[in-house]
Amino acid sequence: MIVGFSTIPEESKIWVFPSNRKFYPQEISELTKSIELFLNSWTSDRNPVECSYLFRHDRFIIISANDTDYNLSLEAHDALTEFILELQNKYDVVLLDKINVCYKQGEFVQYKDLVDFKKLIKAKGVSQKTIVFNNMITVKNELKYNWEINIMDSWLGRLVK
């Protein structure tokens, strides 16, 4: 059951699914329909899941579920993973890889696999002021404070000299 993102409690579960490429406008329209269809039928132990979603930077699918009164069932987690895998296949994107790096380059968001990102660091294509996305966040309030962070505040900071 979809509710407004702002109505989901700040301590609720969140998942950030970074795409390895930007979604095209027509894809976002299709994705919106697919996501809403899934979320409106998403259940945990036969109960509707109070949830919401966002698109950010035409690249990130963010889903939050209110699990403050009860934990989401394993089946609910599996259903979400299966749904995201279906999106990966349909749009030929990578959404479940949280190790590769999304970062800001000016106003644009870039995606690099970790090996290429390390090369970029060595080539001074990234500085200590670079903003990276921490897609490992797990609680909704972290989206405000711990998602877009300075590289030096992330595990990647140790790679920058």
Side-chain angles (χ1 to χ4, degrees):
M1 158 179 69
I2 298 176
V3 298
F5 197 83
S6 63
T7 66
I8 298 281
E10 293 296 308
E11 56 278 354
S12 296
K13 180 78 177 127
I14 197 167
W15 296 266
V16 178
F17 301 104
S19 174
N20 61 324
R21 67 167 173 82
K22 237 176 130 171
F23 289 109
Y24 301 110
Q26 67 272 19
E27 290 176 323
I28 291 176
S29 176
E30 293 172 9
L31 277 164
T32 298
K33 290 175 187 168
S34 294
I35 291 169
E36 288 180 0
L37 185 65
F38 171 75
L39 293 180
N40 277 321
S41 64
W42 193 21
T43 61
S44 178
D45 295 329
R46 295 192 202 117
N47 297 310
V49 175
E50 186 180 68
C51 55
S52 196
Y53 72 98
L54 298 171
F55 281 106
R56 291 276 173 92
H57 304 288
D58 296 333
R59 182 180 294 271
F60 300 94
I61 299 171
I62 301 169
I63 296 177
S64 186
N66 183 353
D67 64 345
T68 56
D69 293 334
Y70 60 89
N71 288 328
L72 291 176
S73 68
L74 182 57
E75 290 81 10
H77 286 280
D78 288 347
L80 178 60
T81 302
E82 185 177 316
F83 172 68
I84 296 299
L85 285 169
E86 288 172 10
L87 293 180
Q88 281 191 152
N89 291 334
K90 182 175 181 180
Y91 294 98
D92 193 27
V93 294
V94 176
L95 294 169
L96 290 171
D97 186 350
K98 307 235 182 186
I99 297 298
N100 290 328
V101 182
C102 294
Y103 64 100
K104 283 190 171 178
Q105 192 170 39
E107 64 185 69
F108 300 102
V109 175
Q110 304 294 330
Y111 177 98
K112 295 273 186 211
D113 69 37
L114 189 54
V115 171
D116 288 341
F117 192 74
K118 286 179 179 178
K119 290 177 187 174
L120 192 62
I121 290 171
K122 285 184 181 179
K124 305 290 186 206
V126 172
S127 75
Q128 293 182 353
K129 295 181 180 179
T130 299
I131 300 297
V132 296
F133 292 86
N134 175 11
N135 297 315
M136 304 295 270
I137 61 173
T138 59
V139 180
K140 183 185 169 205
N141 69 3
E142 290 179 308
L143 187 63
K144 287 182 201 168
Y145 307 108
N146 295 321
W147 183 47
E148 293 185 39
I149 58 175
N150 181 281
I151 192 168
M152 300 311 290
D153 295 329
S154 79
W155 66 272
L156 295 162
R158 65 189 170 133
L159 302 174
V160 180
K161 297 186 176 133

